[in-house]
């Protein structure tokens, strides 16, 4: 694999960088991570960024032109994600752009592609993921929300939970049981649901930091056209496995990690403790060097995943390895950040008194959910062990 960029790719990176440098000057406080879905002002900025990126074709660079893309090589999309991550810019609806769109390319009907992809590419249609239920998370195939087929429609009844951003999303992709008599994985279907459909109720679930990004979503006799099913009836599990893989790989996470480490290093240069700059402390230096090394490893893994995607083959264990590595690295950075900043790291996120805007204490509160969302680390390790290393299943 050749890691060098062409002059055109270097120029593209500069173009992305200039855009984000300008745009992020306008970012309201708290416009980071899932927070953008909480308060109106950060969410408005998120929508603004999404439309601006959409106008430039940056949400869909590697897609075919017919669906709003630019037919660009996937590396260009990777570079974009990397620069965006470095600037900690939001504006990408992960569920729509990174999860549903590639799923539709792989398994959607022509009508579904025409209906949804151009809206996703323009940054104007946001999605949520209706999979988890109160008694179905890691063991997703035990879900009980059901969809009964009546003529040309499915009628959905049941409850979903931890549905990120459902209160802001226009559409939802749900996994429901369409045949209770088949084996657990076999009786499921993958449906696209307009969140304005009568019978849907969204209730907030507040996170540990008080933020509203999770929800419970209730479906009471919600009618969905049969044409909104992705893939075959009762074969939704196979569509879901594909979507999971797309969820678990991200180069942006490592670029964001790089920026965090650079900011911490700068803080250490500028801050004295016991009369000496923190940057002179060998323990601090070693910690930062360890994080920087791990970040480079992660970037290489993410580039490798992108390259495998261009070959049309991203094995599940590779996607799981990146997910575990990225989220555990985020945790290490958050812990180290709090440690280095010291007691002042506890000042509230966004406060003008907080060193580094209180980012590391906020990250500290958010790193545990990162290791659970998209499939918990224990589950990812089982996938790496069984599918990657060929070890026997323990159950
Ligand atoms: C930030 C975040 C965002 C999320 N967003 C969404 C969303 O948008 N849509 C959605 O549908 N869901 C979402 N979820 C839910 C998420 O997918 C589930 O929380 C996750 O799959 C774990 O399921 P659970 O919460 O039911 O925990 P459980 O499955 O009850 O797991 C509890 C603990 O037991 C461990 N465990 C369970 N089974 C095993 C096993 N077989 N081997 C070893 N250990 C095991 C788990 O690793 C975990 O540590 C989100 C969760 C988070 C934290």
């Amino acid at each position: 694999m050749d890691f060098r960029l062409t002059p055109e790719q270097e120029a593209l990176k500069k173009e992305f960088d200039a855009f984000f440098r300008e745009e992020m000057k306008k970012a309201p406080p708290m416009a980071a991570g899932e927070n953008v879905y909480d308060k109106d002002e950060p969410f408005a900025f998120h929508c603004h960024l999404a439309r601006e990126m959409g106008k430039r074709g940056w949400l869909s660079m590697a897609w075919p032109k017919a669906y709003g893309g630019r037919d660009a090589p996937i590396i260009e999309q990777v570079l974009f994600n990397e620069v965006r991550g470095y600037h900690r810019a939001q504006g990408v609806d992960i569920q729509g752009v990174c999860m549903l769109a590639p799923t539709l390319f792989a398994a959607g009907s022509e009508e579904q592609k025409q209906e949804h992809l151009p809206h996703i590419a323009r940054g104007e249609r946001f999605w949520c993921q209706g999979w988890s239920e109160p008694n179905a998370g890691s063991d997703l195939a035990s879900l009980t929300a059901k969809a009964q087929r009546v003529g040309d429609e499915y009628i959905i009844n049941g409850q979903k939970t931890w549905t990120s951003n459902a209160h802001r999303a226009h559409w939802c992709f749900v996994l429901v049981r369409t045949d209770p008599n088949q084996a657990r994985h076999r009786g499921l279907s993958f449906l696209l649901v307009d969140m304005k459909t009568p019978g849907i109720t969204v209730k907030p679930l507040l996170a540990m930091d008080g933020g509203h990004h999770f929800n419970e979503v209730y479906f009471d006799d919600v009618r969905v056209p049969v044409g909104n099913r992705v893939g075959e009836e009762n074969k939704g599990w196979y569509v879901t496995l594909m979507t999971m893989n797309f969820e678990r790989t991200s180069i942006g996470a490592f670029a964001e990690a790089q920026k965090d480490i650079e900011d911490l290093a700068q803080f250490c240069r500028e801050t004295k403790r016991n009369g000496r700059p923190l940057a002179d402390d060998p323990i601090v230096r070693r910690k930062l060097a360890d994080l920087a090394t791990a970040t480079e490893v992660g970037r290489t893994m993410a580039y490798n995943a992108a390259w495998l995607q261009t070959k049309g083959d991203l094995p599940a264990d590779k996607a799981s390895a990146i997910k575990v590595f990225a989220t555990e690295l985020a945790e290490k950075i958050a812990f180290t950040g709090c440690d280095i900043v010291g007691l002042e790291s506890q000042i509230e996120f966004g406060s003008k008194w907080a060193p580094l805007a209180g980012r590391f204490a906020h990250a500290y509160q958010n790193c545990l959910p990162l290791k659970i969302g998209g499939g918990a680390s224990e589950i990812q390790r089982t996938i790496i062990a069984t599918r990657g290393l060929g070890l026997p299943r323990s159950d």
Side-chain angles (χ1 to χ4, degrees), residues 34 129-132 137-138 161-164 214 369 372-374 376 378-379:
E34 300 223 286
Q129 172 194 17
W131 290 357
S132 303
S138 302
T161 193
W162 307 120
T163 323
S164 304
F214 297 127
I372 300 171
E378 291 86 346
I379 303 302

Side-chain angles (χ1 to χ4, degrees), residues 181-194:
N181 299 318
Q182 292 207 38
R184 293 167 357 119
H185 298 83
R186 302 231 170 86
L188 303 172
S189 297
F190 190 108
L191 305 180
L192 308 178
V193 183
D194 186 338

Side-chain angles (χ1 to χ4, degrees), residues 98-99 102-103 106-107 129 131 137-141 173 175 185-186 188-190 230 235-249 314-317 319-320 374 379-380 383 387 393:
C98 306
M99 295 168 67
T103 304
Q129 172 194 17
W131 290 357
S138 302
D139 186 16
L140 186 60
F173 49 91
L175 191 63
H185 298 83
R186 302 231 170 86
L188 303 172
S189 297
F190 190 108
V230 181
K235 298 269 171 67
W237 184 251
Y238 307 101
V239 180
T240 302
L241 291 181
M242 237 185 293
T243 316
M244 281 177 185
N245 267 3
F246 296 129
E247 184 179 14
R248 290 174 183 164
T249 53
L314 177 59
D317 59 295
S320 293
I379 303 302
Q380 307 307 325
I383 295 172
R387 303 222 205 131
R393 295 184 65 86

Side-chain angles (χ1 to χ4, degrees), residues 269-340:
R269 278 184 212 104
E270 291 166 355
T271 310
K272 285 192 175 168
R273 216 157 272 162
N274 301 326
R276 289 178 62 198
L278 273 172
D280 284 353
D281 183 328
I283 297 176
V284 169
R285 293 161 69 94
R286 204 197 61 218
K287 283 186 178 182
L288 290 177
D290 280 349
L291 293 179
T293 309
T295 302
E296 273 309 301
V297 172
R299 281 183 68 202
T300 312
M301 288 166 75
Y303 270 112
N304 182 246
W307 178 73
L308 286 171
Q309 246 171 307
T310 61
K311 311 260 163 231
D313 174 32
L314 177 59
D317 59 295
K318 293 257 187 242
S320 293
I322 291 176
K323 209 261 165 181
V324 169
F325 197 82
T327 52
E328 292 186 357
L329 177 62
E331 181 181 65
K332 274 187 210 138
I333 292 175
F335 285 20
T336 309
C338 289
D339 213 13
I340 290 176

Side-chain angles (χ1 to χ4, degrees), residues 330-351:
E331 181 181 65
K332 274 187 210 138
I333 292 175
F335 285 20
T336 309
C338 289
D339 213 13
I340 290 176
V341 174
L343 279 180
E344 286 179 341
S345 71
Q346 296 175 38
I347 300 173
E348 201 180 15
F349 179 49
S351 160

